[in-house]
Amino acid sequence: MPERTPKRPKRWRVKSPALPRQPFLGLALAAAAGIILADFFHVPASAWLPIGLVVCLCACGACYWPWLGSTYAVVGAAFFLLHAFHIEDTPGQRLAARLGERSRVVTATGVVMSEPKIATSGFATFLLKLKSIELEGINLPTSAACLVRWRGSPEFGDELKFLGSVEPIAPPRNPGEFDMRSYLARRDVLRSLFVRYPEDGVLLRHGGGNPILRVAQRSRAWMQRALCRGLDDAPDVQTFLNGIVLGLRHQTPEEIEEPFQQTGTLHLFAVAGLHVGIVARLLWMLGVVAQLPRKWATALIIPLLFFYSAVTGLHVSSVRAAVMSSVLLGAFLFERKAFVLNSLAAAAFFILCWDTNQLFSTGFQLSFAVVGAIVLLSDLPFRFLRRVSAPDAFLPKALLRGPRYWAHVAMEWLSRGASVSFAAFLGSLPLILWYFHLFTPISLVANLLVVPIAFFILAIALLSLLSATVLPWLSIVFNNANWCLAGLVLALVHFFAQVPGGHYYAEHPQWPKNEFARMTVLDVGPGAAVHLRTHKKEWLFDCGSARDYERILRPYLHATGVNQLNGLFLTHGDSLHIGGAVALLGDFPRLRLIDNPTIDRSIVHQRLRNIFERDRTRLRGAIAGVRFQL
């Protein structure tokens, strides 16, 4: 009788939950990898054609033998080639090679391709898309762009002719100073054109440039006038409303913008997912009121979101939000389920197709890091907070009535807001520390109060714009309501900016050095500003002029991680040495002051001494033979 083979034990297979397909996530990561490799390993123009043929052959092979890894490899190689095409042998590089490294007098003709920024000195700064440049009697056609400074009043799309001096863009000369040269090089802008006199610029014609952007610029000017109607006596509120609604951040003065930066609420001035999401929500509510079908409402909202992005300047954050919202709303048109993370990756993929250099911009990195952190990290703390703050677990929610119901709703809202704020804080923390040297724990609280008010400000602003042409008096009523809310936001932000420990600046991590003292002499021209760090004490010898303090000394102190100065030594009495002292004392109120007691006729020095007497500031005179313990 044959032996019976023992039965094999049953193996229980645990089926893992099917994850949703999110193809754009892998495509975006492959595109980013290809761009980074192309930026580190430069490819000459002679190798573009062979690499392109190899990519085409690999793409054909991937079509016949489909495999996920081969698809990502082809996408990465394609973006490697695309980024190499963007950064090698560009029009800007060819023009820079032709002009050389010294200043040259040229006659340039081109079209204004960016919104001009008018400084207090009257000079307008903008990008000019060149058509031709005349050098030493030779007319050179070119499509490069250059940075222009001209004491005139240009508009977007104007075709202008200039006589000026073109020169390389200067690199930063001090630590912490913004590197304009590297920023513009990513946009293929390698030369600046300085036009000294207004008559050296001639307007050839209006109405050039992209017609869609031109219409968007005119629409923004009309919206700006409509939102500021009836608010002539409140310039701070005007700049705040223009910044939060229209993204006009460059019009915001430093004293208004800095508290928002210190409280982690500066994103209100950058039209991004918050603004586009609120606008999309409001447009959806209007579609519901108008009883539009869901597909018709979606078809109308998507182009309006892109138009709003164009009105606010086509910044990366607004384009990302518009693309992401369009992908989510497009699911209604095709009756497909949309996934937020896949929509975010799709927005990144399409933006990189448009411009691969956007991967290295601060706005691109912050925008996608914050939204990605919210998508991935906000649910876990929300579930924890909701469980902690939940009412009796044995009591069904349907039985909640009266105050207990509203308390439950309020705690749900606070839990969701706190979770989103915490996730956004974690996502932005490494980049904020690296780029802005800033740590803002107060943002966890400030955003909980400021962001809901921003929703009502944007909603009222939309109602003001809708009623501006039909009922102008009603628009003024809405604007005055926004005046109240904007004043409340400014008061809250200034309050949170003054909270001790709410923010502080941090220096980039360095290897520990056994140094007794470190002295940094800043380049402020004929003035002086010297920083001395010894035994964890921070001293300044002079502070430069008022302009030098705003542009050079303050960014340097932030980048060096100086949160409190121990003392200020005033060696001279002229404005080039002590002109920035008033602003410095406003930023660092508690410090030792050592003044030069020599009698002089400096108006700046006399005004500063009057401030010392008014505030009863303790001074010590720098007399020969006196020792100071630093």
Side-chain angles (χ1 to χ4, degrees):
M1 190 173 177
E3 296 183 359
R4 297 178 61 184
T5 57
K7 294 184 179 180
R8 295 182 180 179
K10 294 183 179 180
R11 296 180 179 179
W12 299 95
R13 295 181 179 179
V14 179
K15 294 184 178 180
S16 59
L19 296 177
R21 295 183 60 187
Q22 304 191 44
F24 276 107
L25 185 59
L27 295 178
L29 293 176
I35 293 171
I36 293 173
L37 287 176
D39 203 71
F40 278 99
F41 304 101
H42 294 280
V43 178
S46 58
W48 291 352
L49 183 59
I51 294 178
L53 292 176
V54 172
V55 171
C56 291
L57 292 176
C58 293
C60 295
C63 292
Y64 281 101
W65 297 283
W67 180 55
L68 194 60
S70 63
T71 302
Y72 291 155
V74 169
V75 171
F79 275 87
F80 179 93
L81 186 63
L82 181 62
H83 187 62
F85 179 74
H86 280 166
I87 64 175
E88 297 290 342
D89 196 27
T90 61
Q93 294 174 354
R94 292 194 292 268
L95 178 63
R98 181 67 178 84
L99 294 174
E101 294 298 323
R102 62 187 180 90
S103 179
R104 311 288 291 271
V105 177
V106 300
T107 300
T109 304
V111 178
V112 179
M113 59 178 294
S114 68
E115 183 182 4
K117 300 178 181 178
I118 311 297
T120 55
S121 60
F123 275 94
T125 305
F126 54 93
L127 295 180
L128 186 73
K129 185 74 171 179
L130 294 172
K131 289 186 173 181
S132 64
I133 188 168
E134 185 177 342
L135 175 65
E136 298 175 352
I138 302 176
N139 193 13
L140 303 173
T142 179
S143 60
C146 67
L147 181 70
V148 180
R149 291 183 68 239
W150 175 49
R151 196 188 296 270
S153 301
E155 297 179 358
F156 177 85
D158 286 351
E159 185 174 350
L160 301 167
K161 185 176 182 180
F162 294 111
L163 174 63
S165 58
V166 63
E167 56 190 14
I169 300 173
R173 300 176 64 91
N174 295 281
E177 191 174 346
F178 179 67
D179 192 356
M180 180 62 75
R181 182 175 185 172
S182 299
Y183 170 76
L184 292 176
R186 286 291 179 186
R187 305 182 66 177
D188 195 30
V189 180
L190 303 178
R191 290 296 180 268
S192 64
L193 178 65
F194 178 67
V195 184
R196 184 174 299 275
Y197 303 108
E199 56 270 18
D200 288 339
V202 179
L203 175 65
L204 300 181
R205 68 183 181 94
H206 286 295
N210 191 312
I212 298 178
L213 293 180
R214 191 166 63 249
V215 172
Q217 295 280 347
R218 294 178 180 176
S219 301
R220 180 166 65 180
W222 175 83
M223 293 178 184
Q224 187 176 0
R225 292 192 298 269
L227 292 174
C228 296
R229 189 177 300 164
L231 303 177
D232 298 331
D233 57 343
D236 291 349
V237 174
Q238 289 186 26
T239 55
F240 173 73
L241 290 177
N242 290 331
I244 191 174
V245 179
L246 302 177
L248 298 176
R249 180 180 169 184
H250 64 274
Q251 297 182 4
T252 307
E254 181 71 22
E255 59 269 15
I256 295 180
E257 182 176 323
E258 188 173 21
F260 283 89
Q261 186 177 17
Q262 294 171 345
T263 55
T265 55
L266 190 61
H267 60 88
L268 295 178
F269 289 92
V271 176
L274 173 66
H275 301 70
V276 176
I278 292 175
V279 171
R281 176 79 177 185
L282 295 173
L283 292 175
W284 186 267
M285 292 168 63
L286 290 176
V288 172
V289 172
Q291 296 183 353
L292 293 176
R294 186 171 60 177
K295 291 187 176 182
W296 278 101
T298 303
L300 290 175
I301 290 173
I302 290 177
L304 288 177
L305 291 180
F306 280 100
F307 182 73
Y308 177 66
S309 178
V311 166
T312 56
L314 281 181
H315 299 293
V316 177
S317 55
S318 62
V319 174
R320 185 266 308 158
V323 173
M324 186 175 174
S325 302
S326 300
V327 173
L328 292 173
L329 291 172
F332 292 125
L333 290 176
F334 301 101
E335 297 182 354
R336 298 286 298 274
K337 185 178 181 180
F339 300 98
V340 179
L341 194 60
N342 187 61
S343 303
L344 179 65
F349 183 81
F350 292 137
I351 291 175
L352 293 178
C353 289
W354 170 46
D355 184 8
T356 56
N357 278 308
Q358 291 293 339
L359 181 65
F360 305 97
S361 68
T362 307
F364 181 94
Q365 297 171 11
L366 273 173
S367 178
F368 284 94
V370 170
V371 178
I374 292 174
V375 173
L376 296 174
L377 304 178
S378 62
D379 284 342
L380 184 62
F382 173 66
R383 288 196 296 266
F384 172 76
L385 292 175
R386 187 172 58 176
R387 185 170 62 251
V388 170
S389 61
D392 188 354
F394 294 97
L395 181 65
K397 293 182 180 180
L399 298 180
L400 293 176
R401 293 290 186 272
R404 296 188 65 181
Y405 171 77
W406 292 110
H408 173 69
V409 171
M411 290 306 300
E412 285 272 336
W413 178 84
L414 283 175
S415 299
R416 173 59 70 184
S419 303
V420 171
S421 181
F422 179 69
F425 174 76
L426 291 180
S428 63
L429 179 60
L431 296 173
I432 294 294
L433 281 174
W434 180 258
Y435 289 115
F436 303 106
H437 313 277
L438 187 61
F439 180 63
T440 57
I442 196 64
S443 63
L444 296 173
V445 181
N447 280 292
L448 280 179
L449 297 178
V450 172
V451 171
I453 302 176
F455 174 83
F456 290 103
I457 290 177
L458 283 173
I460 295 174
L462 181 61
L463 294 176
S464 175
L465 294 175
L466 292 176
S467 60
T469 55
V470 182
L471 299 172
W473 63 269
L474 185 58
S475 176
I476 295 177
V477 173
F478 287 133
N479 291 342
N480 280 275
N482 261 345
W483 172 81
C484 297
L485 295 178
L488 177 60
V489 169
L490 292 174
L492 287 173
V493 168
H494 280 84
F495 169 76
F496 286 122
Q498 302 300 323
V499 173
H503 72 277
Y504 54 90
Y505 294 91
E507 192 176 12
H508 283 169
Q510 299 177 356
W511 290 105
K513 299 178 182 178
N514 187 19
E515 56 185 15
F516 177 76
R518 183 173 65 183
M519 180 178 289
T520 305
V521 181
L522 300 178
D523 181 8
V524 291
V530 180
H531 173 230
L532 174 64
R533 172 176 288 174
T534 174
H535 293 293
K536 297 183 180 180
K537 302 293 183 182
E538 312 286 351
W539 277 81
L540 273 183
F541 295 85
D542 295 325
C543 53
S545 65
R547 184 170 181 267
D548 290 333
Y549 176 74
E550 296 291 338
R551 296 182 58 218
I552 298 175
L553 183 55
R554 178 188 280 169
Y556 163 77
L557 294 175
H558 292 169
T560 318
V562 177
N563 294 283
Q564 181 59 48
L565 282 172
N566 297 95
L568 171 64
F569 202 119
L570 303 178
T571 65
H572 290 65
D574 59 276
S575 63
L576 296 177
H577 285 75
I578 66 171
V582 176
L584 176 69
L585 293 176
D587 293 336
F588 304 95
R590 296 180 298 275
L591 51 78
R592 290 178 59 190
L593 274 170
I594 302 174
D595 192 12
N596 183 359
T598 306
I599 299 176
D600 53 35
R601 292 180 291 180
S602 171
I603 299 176
V604 175
H605 202 182
Q606 185 60 44
R607 188 184 304 120
L608 192 59
R609 286 173 175 171
N610 294 336
I611 294 175
F612 294 158
E613 293 179 2
R614 184 196 65 190
D615 298 339
R616 297 180 180 179
T617 304
R618 296 181 60 184
L619 287 175
R620 189 173 182 184
I623 306 172
V626 176
R627 291 176 176 267
F628 298 98
Q629 183 69 31
L630 300 182

